[in-house]
Amino acid sequence: MITFDHVTKRFPDGTVGVDDLSLEIEQGSFTVFVGPSGCGKTTSMRMINRMIDPTEGTITVGGRDISTVRPTELRLGIGYVIQNAGLMPHRTVVDNVATVLVLQGVTKRKARITALEAMERVGLDLRMATRYPAQLSGGQQQRVGVARALAADPPVLLMDEPFSAVDPVVRDDLQREMLRLQSELSKTIVFVTHDIDEAIRLGDRVAVFGTGGVLQQLDTAEAVLTRPANPFVTNLVGRDRGFRSLSFQSATQVPVHDVETLPLAGLGSAPALAPHAWALVVDGDRRPVGWLNATRQALVGERGEAALAPLGSLSTPSRTLRQSLDAVLSSPSERGVVVDDDGALLGVVEANDVLAALSAQRGSTTDDAGVLGATATQDALS
Ligand SMILES: Nc1ncnc2c1ncn2[C@@H]1O[C@H](COP(=O)(O)OP(=O)(O)OP(=O)(O)O)[C@@H](O)[C@H]1O
């Protein structure tokens, strides 16, 4: 557990970076510090590994007041990942990852073996090991940064805007990877971002910081979205919070309907579709490939598979209402495709059923009706 007890940081020029911060970070939790630029997120994080010392108050890590622990000793148990990875350009990837272990006195050979394991854990191709950082993409460099922080197996991981310099697709991958890693490793993670969507996706707990380094709300991601503590938080989570809150609502009650399918093999000899009908084309493993209607079917002879309309986003059995609704909205047939964990077709969901499930859940959470219900429905439909 990491505890901030009435912690204030006043810089020599008088700027108050963090103002009277008290919060507890549970062991094994994923806590995200979020807020606009200059509100004290990074300063708060850097006080945990003593890159910055507080002016007032006490921070404890694992029950120890860290002002009594030498920074070098403290940092052995705290991994640190920063934006742009901060890799050493003249060292190979594997040696970058092995850095902390070597500093700890592990032999170079052993450190490299552990570094390769850490690379595998974060999904890096081991052929990258002998490359230099400049020979990697931005996303790969970030993975190296995470591998380096994890290599020495520290119980605590600090991550300061680690994914903010990569494009949205790579960012999505890295976020997914982080959630997978956390489910396997159960580290105590403190993650700084100014992106509320990233905070909500990753955090078990979200700490919203405001102007002058004042903590505005510390809560679950769902509570920050659905019960913002004050106008500052309401403004930060934004207009789309009703839509975002669908991410926390299960769609397992939404019925999955059967859908007409056509096999990809022999597409050209399929019976003609009725004028307004859509059929889902599946491969030999029943994995959906695309949608077909009569107009597109007429083009199959000429274009083959390229005549199919894209599937839209796919929904899965453990889906949320947001995922279900997105599948419906992004599908040309207005029915969202549901697949199992292997990608095989389970059926389709329909918009009316998604909205009915939303209404039913609104009825069962009367306290939250204003936000979860009306706002969500309006946002979803607008
Ligand atoms: N060394 C310093 N000297 C003076 N003021 C500082 C110093 N470091 C940070 N600050 C100020 O403290 C406040 C908090 O800064 P901090 O970097 O913690 O904010 P942040 O929320 O992480 O912002 P960003 O998202 O832009 O990184 C800001 O007003 C900043 O200008």
Side-chain angles (χ1 to χ4, degrees):
M1 166 124 75
I2 301 169
T3 309
F4 285 73
D5 187 15
H6 295 288
V7 171
T8 292
K9 175 63 190 179
R10 198 170 297 106
F11 289 102
D13 67 359
T15 308
V16 176
V18 176
D19 193 3
D20 195 26
L21 177 63
S22 291
L23 64 82
E24 286 183 351
I25 295 168
E26 294 292 330
Q27 192 173 334
S29 71
F30 199 133
T31 301
V32 182
F33 292 176
V34 68
S37 188
C39 65
K41 308 179 295 289
T42 297
T43 304
S44 300
M45 170 177 275
R46 288 186 175 174
M47 288 194 285
I48 297 172
N49 65 359
R50 294 203 59 191
M51 289 172 73
I52 296 176
D53 283 324
T55 327
E56 288 159 38
T58 311
I59 299 172
T60 58
V61 175
R64 284 206 296 174
D65 176 349
I66 61 169
S67 67
T68 66
V69 185
R70 277 187 302 127
T72 43
E73 185 197 334
L74 181 71
R75 288 174 202 157
L76 290 179
I78 303 181
Y80 188 43
V81 186
I82 56 171
Q83 192 179 344
N84 292 320
L87 303 177
M88 289 171 285
H90 304 301
R91 291 209 183 154
T92 59
V93 164
V94 68
D95 284 341
N96 263 285
V97 176
T99 310
V100 182
L101 294 158
V102 172
L103 286 174
Q104 288 178 356
V106 177
T107 63
K108 216 167 186 180
R109 192 183 138 71
K110 271 195 178 158
R112 281 188 176 152
I113 292 169
T114 309
L116 290 173
E117 287 166 6
M119 283 179 63
E120 262 186 329
R121 201 177 298 140
V122 302
L124 271 170
D125 188 331
L126 294 188
R127 283 174 301 185
M128 309 273 168
T130 52
R131 290 199 193 167
Y132 289 90
Q135 296 170 313
L136 303 183
S137 70
Q140 288 164 341
Q141 290 182 26
Q142 270 325 125
R143 282 179 198 259
V144 176
V146 176
R148 181 179 59 182
L150 289 174
D153 201 23
V156 176
L157 201 56
L158 306 182
M159 306 184 78
D160 193 354
E161 302 250 12
F163 308 148
S164 55
V166 293
D167 71 61
V169 176
V170 174
R171 193 172 202 192
D172 180 71
D173 264 6
L174 290 168
Q175 289 170 348
R176 195 168 323 128
E177 195 71 20
M178 231 19 251
L179 288 169
R180 185 190 63 76
L181 272 174
Q182 175 62 351
S183 70
E184 283 174 11
L185 303 175
S186 298
K187 303 278 180 201
T188 304
I189 300 180
V190 183
F191 189 106
V192 163
T193 181
H194 59 266
D195 176 353
I196 186 74
D197 277 324
E198 184 165 68
I200 282 160
R201 180 171 188 190
L202 296 179
D204 307 325
R205 309 275 287 170
V206 175
V208 181
F209 285 74
T211 326
V214 180
L215 182 66
Q216 305 289 318
Q217 185 167 3
L218 173 66
D219 236 319
T220 61
E222 182 178 8
V224 167
L225 271 183
T226 58
R227 294 184 292 278
N230 57 37
F232 180 91
V233 182
T234 306
N235 193 33
L236 186 80
V237 298
R239 243 199 107 248
D240 293 337
R241 71 183 196 280
F243 185 69
R244 292 197 193 111
S245 71
L246 295 177
S247 305
F248 298 101
Q249 292 174 272
S250 165
T252 47
Q253 299 304 317
V254 177
V256 176
H257 302 281
D258 287 338
V259 57
E260 181 181 355
T261 57
L262 292 175
L264 181 62
L267 201 55
S269 53
L273 290 166
H276 299 292
W278 283 92
L280 195 57
V281 177
V282 293
D283 69 11
D285 296 319
R286 276 194 66 78
R287 280 195 288 255
V289 183
W291 286 100
L292 201 63
N293 64 0
T295 317
R296 288 177 173 268
Q297 196 173 25
L299 302 172
V300 166
E302 187 188 320
R303 297 198 202 158
E305 203 177 316
L308 301 180
L311 292 171
S313 64
L314 300 179
S315 187
T316 53
S318 57
R319 60 203 191 280
T320 64
L321 286 184
R322 181 169 177 167
Q323 216 186 359
S324 291
L325 195 58
D326 192 61
V328 172
L329 295 175
S330 61
S331 163
S333 73
E334 295 175 14
R335 284 172 295 165
V337 179
V338 186
V339 292
D340 66 16
D341 291 335
D342 297 322
L345 177 68
L346 291 174
V348 289
V349 286
E350 295 177 0
N352 285 346
D353 292 329
V354 177
L355 295 179
L358 182 60
S359 296
Q361 291 188 28
R362 179 176 58 179
S364 66
T365 53
T366 43
D367 282 355
D368 301 332
V371 175
L372 286 179
T375 317
T377 311
Q378 279 157 17
D379 280 356
L381 295 175
S382 63

